Amino acid sequence: MRVLFVTPECYPLVKTGGLADVAGALPLALAAAGIDARVLLPAYPGLLSRITGPVVASTMPDLFGGKARLIAGRTVDGLQVGLLDAPHLYARDGGPYLGPDGLDWPDNDLRFAALSWVGAQVARGAITGWAPDLVHLHDWQSALTAAYLHIGSTPTSPSPPSLLTIHNLAFQGLFPVDRVAHLRLPPGLAPIGDLEYYGQISFLKAGVRYADHLSTVSPTYAREIVTPENGMGFDGLLRARAGQLTGIVNGIDDSVWDPATDPHVVAPYNARKLGVKAVDKAALQGELGLELRADAPLFCVVSRLTAQKGLDLLPTVLASMIARGAQLAVLGAGDAHLEAALLRAAAQHPGQVAVVVGYDEPLSHRFQAGADAIVVPSRFEPCGLTQLYGLRYGTVPIVARVGGLADTVIDANEAALRDGVATGFQFAPVDASALSVAIDRAIDLYADQRAWQRLQRRAMTRDVGWSTAAAKYVDLYERLVVTAPRS
Ligand code: ADP
């Protein structure tokens, strides 16, 4: 089976969040399962020089206001990619979505309508020699593909089925209504009404309406987003499609995130050599200026610092953690108030609390290797990755019982501990007192090192790679290719 991914990001070429990891790793895992998966994304600056064997697969004299080419090649990982080279849309210094001023590019609607348009053309056979059986779309940036496929479909030339994965419902692709005139959507046709969203247009809405199937990145998040509390205004639309909404938990790249081979960690270890983790802990304490105490349970956080992540709860629970002899290390960047509050906490508790403001990939590996536990108190979390890294590194996750966090961590309640299935701690609701109780429970268990190590070993042997998720996507693809009514 041939599958076309249409995505705004793909690791290692371009990444701003978890979506890039999925778009980079899932096609490779699918290839191992016999699927010919290729990835279409914009040729942001510098990307063309990072693929091997480039060939021009298609030229377009006018793609939303300028010339464009589709360049096919491979990444260093062997992933087959098509880069949409449209200099008038993508050749500019800045991020994929934001300019150097930190504001959205003013033509983001055109930039991602163009990506979606080309996705639909490739899906409908524009490239000689390769056409997909199914199109896999990711977030609002590629969601319009589903509308273009619908418009282009005819009884004699049906469009292939499409699957839209929602990685985070908070991002909806909202633009002023009058922009619809520029999107190559025929006037008067249903998609225009179907894009309307509280006085604006939403690209995501077009995808939710027209994709043959919808998925999100965990079963619990799939259930949450059909409720008014968590549906972010989309719950009604999503409820209407609940029969075509599937949740599949993301995997992690377990060759990059492996404590036995990780080049960033001081002392490699595995579940059988757990004692070595103490060396990484001491190294991290030393690196961060924390007191070198082997017996202090060291909690860590690696996160964007935003309201979503619930880290504003941390300063409230800190005093009781410290009173019980625990330490806290935070690596994160984002909200200025939160950064300041955490830095204040570090200044108040020298030697017990360390805060590093910034984005530092190698340091995030040393955090996972050196800490005893990782705290993820998100208010909502479609899937979450850091708790999965924590499982792999025997760094016990303490998580809010929401979204993918609820699906990937088994709470260390009495029964789960007795049966040897526990992998971490969950708490609900997402407030400071429930978080504090969970941290207390972790500190209690940490005092019983044999029980703690059983928990760590169980966490480390849990399969968090991509193969399970890939098998589920293959199942879903096969069902869609056989049964989806053509758009
Ligand atoms: P989200 O995509 O909502 O930010 P995820 O948990 O799905 O949350 O993914 C976050 C990714 O970004 C993880 O790979 C995490 O290790 C990484 N990350 C977040 N903040 C930092 C940071 N300050 N330094 C290094 N890596 C970070």
Side-chain angles (χ1 to χ4, degrees):
M1 186 191 308
R2 292 176 301 267
V3 176
L4 174 69
F5 276 51
V6 188
T7 174
E9 302 182 25
C10 178
Y11 183 85
L13 293 174
V14 52
K15 169 173 172 177
T16 74
L19 156 61
D21 291 319
V22 176
L26 178 57
L28 292 172
L30 289 169
I35 304 274
D36 176 3
R38 303 188 185 187
V39 180
L40 170 68
L41 76 160
Y44 303 113
L47 261 52
L48 286 170
S49 63
R50 291 172 56 197
I51 57 169
T52 56
V55 294
V56 178
S58 162
T59 56
M60 292 154 261
D62 176 22
L63 179 69
F64 291 77
K67 283 188 192 163
R69 301 180 306 164
L70 184 59
I71 314 286
R74 283 180 189 270
T75 66
V76 282
D77 301 322
L79 187 65
Q80 302 205 66
V81 294
L83 295 179
L84 179 55
D85 180 27
H88 61 296
L89 299 172
Y90 309 124
R92 27 178 115 155
D93 293 335
Y97 318 120
L98 308 179
D101 54 3
L103 300 175
D104 286 344
W105 293 112
D107 56 350
N108 269 346
D109 51 351
L110 296 186
R111 298 172 75 238
F112 294 105
L115 173 69
S116 301
W117 173 266
V118 173
Q121 304 313 305
V122 174
R124 291 188 48 75
I127 304 291
T128 313
W130 196 86
D133 301 299
L134 180 136
V135 193
H136 191 161
L137 311 174
H138 297 271
D139 278 353
W140 70 265
Q141 295 92 334
S142 61
L144 273 191
T145 304
Y148 294 134
L149 287 174
H150 170 79
I151 293 162
S153 197
T154 65
T156 49
S157 170
S159 292
S162 56
L163 165 66
L164 170 67
T165 297
I166 300 170
H167 295 263
N168 191 335
L169 191 58
F171 305 118
Q172 304 179 342
L174 301 177
F175 300 97
V177 168
D178 59 3
R179 300 296 295 169
V180 83
H182 306 281
L183 301 179
R184 296 192 177 176
L185 294 168
L189 214 88
I192 294 174
D194 287 341
L195 257 64
E196 195 279 329
Y197 183 77
Y198 299 107
Q200 293 181 288
I201 52 168
S202 160
F203 283 20
L204 186 69
K205 186 178 171 190
V208 168
R209 167 70 181 79
Y210 283 106
D212 291 289
H213 199 91
L214 307 173
S215 77
T216 185
V217 288
S218 69
T220 296
Y221 193 57
R223 284 191 296 275
E224 287 170 348
I225 59 179
V226 297
T227 67
E229 299 76 44
N230 299 299
M232 297 188 163
F234 268 72
D235 49 291
L237 284 167
L238 290 165
R239 269 197 304 281
R241 302 224 47 201
Q244 296 108 33
L245 174 61
T246 304
I248 299 177
V249 171
N250 288 336
I252 61 170
D253 187 335
D254 50 10
S255 61
V256 173
W257 292 95
D258 180 352
T261 57
D262 191 330
H264 303 299
V265 313
V266 174
Y269 61 93
N270 59 30
R272 286 186 309 281
K273 289 192 200 143
L274 252 183
V276 179
K277 191 166 161 61
V279 179
D280 290 297
K281 177 172 175 176
L284 185 63
Q285 287 172 323
E287 181 174 357
L288 299 177
L290 293 168
E291 282 176 14
L292 287 177
R293 282 173 40 217
D295 64 325
L298 172 53
F299 293 81
C300 81
V301 168
V302 179
S303 184
R304 289 188 291 125
L305 303 179
T306 66
Q308 175 195 340
K309 300 295 180 179
L311 297 166
D312 48 296
L313 304 176
L314 274 182
T316 315
V317 302
L318 206 54
S320 69
M321 284 174 72
I322 307 286
R324 295 203 59 192
Q327 296 181 336
L328 174 70
V330 178
L331 170 60
D335 182 284
H337 293 291
L338 204 46
E339 286 181 7
L342 291 166
L343 287 168
R344 264 198 312 277
Q348 278 162 9
H349 303 283
Q352 315 306 332
V353 177
V355 173
V356 180
V357 171
Y359 189 97
D360 187 333
E361 191 88 27
L363 185 56
S364 74
H365 286 242
R366 294 198 292 283
F367 265 57
Q368 292 281 1
D372 295 301
I374 182 157
V375 186
V376 194
S378 305
R379 295 200 163 82
F380 70 93
E381 193 61 78
C383 178
L385 290 174
T386 57
Q387 86 281 10
L388 299 177
Y389 303 149
L391 291 170
R392 193 88 209 281
Y393 281 63
T395 305
V396 173
I398 298 168
V399 301
R401 189 179 303 137
V402 298
L405 301 174
D407 292 335
T408 53
V409 173
I410 299 176
D411 183 66
N413 56 45
E414 249 178 62
L417 281 172
R418 197 179 49 240
D419 295 347
V421 296
T423 57
F425 297 86
Q426 293 191 352
F427 65 92
V430 188
D431 63 23
S433 68
L435 171 60
S436 187
V437 170
I439 287 176
D440 270 341
R441 290 169 60 212
I443 295 175
D444 290 342
L445 196 74
Y446 186 81
D448 177 353
Q449 272 297 305
R450 281 190 53 203
W452 183 263
Q453 283 177 15
R454 265 200 307 279
L455 187 66
Q456 286 179 297
R457 287 206 177 85
R458 174 67 195 169
M460 292 177 82
T461 47
R462 204 183 159 282
D463 179 11
V464 288
W466 268 105
S467 54
T468 310
K472 290 187 175 158
Y473 278 109
V474 172
D475 253 18
L476 182 55
Y477 293 164
E478 280 171 352
R479 271 195 286 139
L480 287 172
V481 168
V482 173
T483 61
R486 293 291 166 122
S487 298

